[in-house]
Amino acid sequence: MTYEEAILARIANVLESRKPDAGADPKQSYVASLFVKGQDAILKKVGEEATELVMASKDGIPDRIVSETADLWFHCMIALAHHGLRPEDVLAELARREGISGHQEKASRSTQGDSSNE
Ligand SMILES: N=c1c2ncn([C@@H]3O[C@H](COP(=O)(O)OP(=O)(O)OP(=O)(O)O)[C@@H](O)[C@H]3O)c2ncn1[C@@H]1O[C@H](COP(=O)(O)O)[C@@H](O)[C@H]1O
């Protein structure tokens, strides 16, 4: 496991420990408070953080772009955890896609009769 993978895995472990059935206190833990509020609250934060990243990117301030991207990734990890998924699942999917052009992937979808992205 790389240093970066280890960071994501450690955060994912902390997220698991913040779930209601793990006994985390929503008054003490931001993550626990989001889990208690439920999926809609988690997804609302994902949407807000995505919008904040868009604004930071338009402003072109590198520190803010990094900070807002961290916020977005973090809240995406909470959304994954809500579904029992882990960052390793996303890394595996990215690894599977490595070297496959997006154009090539889309073309192969249309020859398979997948019209979901038309
Ligand atoms: N990486 C993070 C992290 N990034 C962002 N945040 C929080 O996510 C929230 C982002 O919301 P906003 O930027 O919109 O700020 P806000 O207006 O204060 O938030 P809201 O009131 O709208 O929810 C803030 O409260 C941030 O502090 C994080 N909270 C926790 N972590 C990690 O999660 C771990 C567990 O956190 P707790 O569950 O709080 O102990 C921590 O040790 C960290 O490793």
Side-chain angles (χ1 to χ4, degrees):
M1 191 181 281
T2 66
Y3 172 72
E4 292 79 8
E5 288 166 343
I7 294 171
L8 295 176
R10 278 200 305 275
I11 294 170
N13 291 342
V14 171
L15 299 186
E16 286 303 314
S17 77
R18 299 306 200 248
K19 287 188 171 176
D21 56 10
D25 179 359
K27 290 197 188 76
Q28 302 290 327
S29 159
Y30 169 75
V31 177
S33 69
L34 262 188
F35 278 135
V36 164
K37 287 179 192 161
Q39 176 167 231
D40 285 358
I42 296 168
L43 297 181
K44 185 164 176 272
K45 289 304 296 181
V46 170
E48 284 173 15
E49 301 304 347
T51 302
E52 285 171 20
L53 171 58
V54 168
M55 292 189 297
S57 186
K58 294 292 273 184
D59 292 342
I61 302 165
D63 284 357
R64 271 190 55 217
I65 295 168
V66 170
S67 169
E68 298 299 351
T69 300
D71 281 350
L72 179 58
W73 285 14
F74 177 67
H75 287 87
C76 287
M77 287 177 67
I78 299 176
L80 286 170
H82 173 82
H83 291 284
L85 295 165
R86 291 188 56 95
E88 292 91 323
D89 297 310
V90 179
L91 291 174
E93 176 61 10
L94 288 172
R96 186 190 67 76
R97 295 179 187 181
E98 229 177 345
I100 303 171
S101 157
H103 291 322
Q104 186 188 332
E105 186 275 333
K106 187 169 181 178
S108 76
R109 251 187 288 149
S110 58
T111 58
Q112 289 162 13
D114 177 356
S115 59
S116 62
N117 213 21
E118 285 171 3

